[in-house]
Amino acid sequence: MNPSKLIGGLALALVATAAAAQYPTKPVTIVVPFAAGGPTDTVARSVGQAMEKSLGANVIIENKPGAGGTIAIADIARSPADGYRVLVHHIGMATAPSLYRKLPFDPLKDLDYVGLINDVPMTLLVRSTLPVNNVKELAAYAKQNKDKTTLANAGIGAASHLCGLLFQQAIETDLTTVPYKGTAPAITDLIGGQVDILCDQTTNTTEQIKAGKVKALALTAPKRLDSLKDLPTSAEAGLPGFELSIWHGMYAPKNTPKPVLDKLVAALQVALKDPALNKRFADLGATTVTPDRQTPDALGKHLKSEIDKWAPIIKKAGIYAD
Ligand code: ASP
């Protein structure tokens, strides 16, 4: 090799190592794949804020919605692997490979994993003026009014899309879906009566349910939540198989230098011990994952098992996006 090229390469490697050792020297951006004010945004903002102190840098949130969250994943897969741009995403990371015929990334090859964050159940909601008061009445209404009953979601690949898919399967009725850039705008339209049904994480719906702005019919979990004691589980409401738990994880671009990734992992783990963060999550029906799941390895394993779990279910449903 040309000696001056070799020296140039070594100098670059030294600069990169020094930069990694000093990380972070500027704010860190967390990319959120959905609109501001929604449940993924809430989780990312809460975690980001709780990471700032141990990270020693400000954390900025950037909402990059579109295509059910896949635009943001592609953005992170292409971003410089320097720890200044990371992603918080949910179960959609595992369902996207089955839902999209073409994806500009592979979740198992193009990302580094920081760790799992929390698990959140979903709630089946209807607009307050819809003439139904329980799941049985909703199923009957939807069957009778199939062509005019609308189901909101945050695009193909969103948790709300998956939940809506499972609901339609459970009641054996296809509804008209209305996609949004996130469930923050979707719930605004549900409250306004522009759409009929929305299935969304408790992190976005708890306050609206408590304020009586929407009717909640079921929780997609096997056990009732302390934060929503009166809400029946899906089994209690008559749809035993209609269960879905949404998990969130943090990702970095592939080949992030180890010292940088280690700092992100440590800061996430410190954040997940923060009592204020845990209280906020609990108040919103979310459960922080146990410490053994707050690791890169646990996120990688969970992601792989969720990809394998959802592939046959999505294939059977015959849903694809281009
Ligand atoms: N929770 C939403 C979904 O995946 C997205 C969002 O955070 O707005 O359906």
Side-chain angles (χ1 to χ4, degrees):
M1 190 194 265
N2 173 336
S4 66
K5 265 199 179 157
L6 184 64
I7 292 166
L10 279 175
L12 277 179
L14 280 175
V15 170
T17 309
Q22 279 159 20
Y23 170 86
T25 55
K26 58 181 184 182
V28 172
T29 297
I30 297 182
V31 176
V32 172
F34 298 103
T40 317
D41 184 76
T42 296
V43 170
R45 272 175 211 273
S46 312
V47 165
Q49 203 185 0
M51 284 172 75
E52 282 183 335
K53 205 166 165 210
S54 61
L55 202 54
N58 290 335
V59 173
I60 296 166
I61 301 295
E62 181 182 318
N63 298 86
K64 211 174 174 67
T70 56
I71 289 176
I73 307 173
D75 172 280
I76 287 299
R78 280 193 308 263
S79 290
D82 57 10
Y84 289 103
R85 224 171 148 70
V86 298
L87 174 76
V88 166
H89 197 6
H90 60 31
I91 192 170
M93 184 65 90
T95 53
S98 301
L99 286 166
Y100 285 81
R101 285 183 215 273
K102 277 181 264 148
L103 277 182
F105 57 84
D106 178 341
L108 295 175
K109 291 196 183 129
D110 298 334
L111 299 166
D112 277 344
Y113 310 127
V114 182
L116 283 158
I117 299 172
N118 64 11
D119 295 304
V120 188
M122 301 193 83
T123 46
L124 180 67
L125 310 179
V126 296
R127 65 177 158 86
S128 57
T129 47
L130 201 77
V132 304
N133 287 307
N134 54 51
V135 168
K136 235 181 166 178
E137 288 176 12
L138 174 61
Y141 177 92
K143 276 195 175 72
Q144 269 164 22
N145 299 279
K146 222 163 130 160
D147 299 333
K148 64 168 201 192
T149 306
T150 50
L151 172 65
N153 68 34
I156 294 181
S160 46
H161 168 248
L162 188 60
C163 190
L165 200 68
L166 297 178
F167 176 64
Q168 291 173 87
Q169 272 181 349
I171 65 164
E172 296 172 343
T173 308
D174 289 335
L175 303 169
T176 306
T177 51
V178 184
Y180 290 82
K181 288 206 183 298
T183 43
I187 204 166
T188 300
D189 271 11
L190 190 79
I191 293 167
Q194 283 91 5
V195 283
D196 299 321
I197 310 172
L198 170 67
C199 192
D200 198 20
Q201 285 102 302
T202 54
T203 26
N204 194 38
T205 64
T206 302
E207 280 157 14
Q208 313 293 7
I209 294 169
K210 286 187 169 162
K213 293 188 177 165
V214 291
K215 278 192 225 175
L217 305 185
L219 181 79
T220 67
K223 252 183 77 193
R224 289 193 186 207
L225 285 178
D226 286 346
S227 48
L228 287 170
K229 278 202 179 68
D230 296 335
L231 186 62
T233 65
S234 44
E236 289 170 337
L239 292 180
F242 178 53
E243 283 182 6
L244 183 57
S245 176
I246 305 305
W247 51 273
H248 295 83
M250 183 176 282
Y251 304 84
K254 188 79 189 169
N255 297 324
T256 298
K258 187 157 183 325
V260 173
L261 198 62
D262 287 349
K263 279 189 193 161
L264 283 166
V265 172
L268 177 64
Q269 292 177 353
V270 167
L272 296 181
K273 284 189 188 70
D274 181 347
L277 177 84
N278 283 295
K279 179 169 184 325
R280 175 150 172 74
F281 279 172
D283 287 348
L284 296 176
T287 309
T288 304
V289 298
T290 48
D292 55 312
R293 296 178 66 209
Q294 298 166 6
T295 65
D297 198 40
L299 174 55
K301 284 198 178 113
H302 190 64
L303 176 62
K304 169 84 175 76
S305 78
E306 286 281 286
I307 289 176
D308 294 345
K309 171 181 162 181
W310 288 103
I313 300 170
I314 292 166
K315 196 167 175 208
K316 193 166 154 231
I319 308 276
Y320 295 102
D322 288 315

